[in-house]
Amino acid sequence: KKAGFDGLFDGQGHTVSGLYYKATDTNFLFGGLFGWTGQQFPATIQNLKITNFYVYGETVGALLGRSSKGLSVNNVYVSNGIVETQVTQAGALLGAVFGGPVAFQNCAVENVKVQGNLYLGIFAGIANSQDVEVTNCYVKNSSVKGVGQCGLVCGRMSGGNITVRNVY
């Protein structure tokens, strides 16, 4: 059984540079700086920068692979990197939401490529029956490239609602 991160992570404005994650084994599906949050309780990640990264696998993001039980992402900046999957579920910030709402506030994505097959997005690759809110965020010089179901907020939204405010 895989353990996830629950609770509050405050990066206090620090920068993680040179993150490299490459999963080729299906036992390590959820990848990024955090693999999985909210296994039992909601999580909050805030005040953090991630730059010069490469993340590869299934259900991956620079910040987080999978969220369950709810997630708040506040004041997180990702730049100069690639998030890639050969299968599905990749996002510049978050690969997949499977349980609980997710809110991104005051986040930025610059010079990031998300590429792969299906369910690719800047904020989240897929949101499965959950609400996603994006407020006061921006995306600059970034791209999403895949075979299908790609988007800025989410690549695939199956149920739930998307709320977007002050995003450019």
Side-chain angles (χ1 to χ4, degrees):
K1 186 173 180 180
K2 297 177 178 114
F5 172 80
D6 294 341
L8 169 66
F9 178 86
D10 188 340
Q12 300 178 344
H14 291 284
T15 299
V16 174
S17 182
L19 174 68
Y20 180 85
Y21 176 89
K22 186 170 184 178
T24 56
D25 183 335
T26 58
N27 290 321
F28 300 98
L29 292 178
F30 313 138
L33 182 62
F34 293 89
W36 182 10
T37 63
Q39 185 175 4
Q40 295 182 7
F41 304 102
T44 299
I45 301 171
Q46 62 189 27
N47 304 322
L48 179 67
K49 295 177 185 174
I50 303 170
T51 188
N52 302 318
F53 59 86
Y54 178 77
V55 177
Y56 174 88
E58 182 179 347
T59 312
V60 291
L63 179 64
L64 172 62
R66 177 182 172 154
S67 169
S68 303
K69 306 286 187 206
L71 174 68
S72 293
V73 179
N74 307 309
N75 195 32
V76 172
Y77 174 80
V78 296
S79 67
N80 304 317
I82 297 171
V83 178
E84 186 173 17
T85 180
Q86 283 190 321
V87 188
T88 65
Q89 303 169 173
L93 286 161
L94 169 62
V97 180
F98 286 104
V102 173
F104 298 96
Q105 296 179 343
N106 303 311
C107 295
V109 176
E110 285 193 62
N111 303 316
V112 175
K113 292 180 183 179
V114 179
Q115 51 199 32
N117 193 16
L118 298 171
Y119 315 144
L120 311 173
I122 293 293
F123 291 93
I126 186 171
N128 190 16
S129 300
Q130 303 304 318
D131 293 342
V132 175
E133 181 179 322
V134 182
T135 306
N136 299 328
C137 298
Y138 76 88
V139 177
K140 184 177 177 182
N141 297 328
S142 298
S143 63
V144 178
K145 183 179 179 184
V147 175
Q149 299 190 33
C150 302
L152 174 66
V153 176
C154 285
R156 179 175 184 193
M157 185 79 175
S158 66
N161 298 300
I162 293 178
T163 303
V164 178
R165 292 183 192 96
N166 300 322
V167 175
Y168 69 95

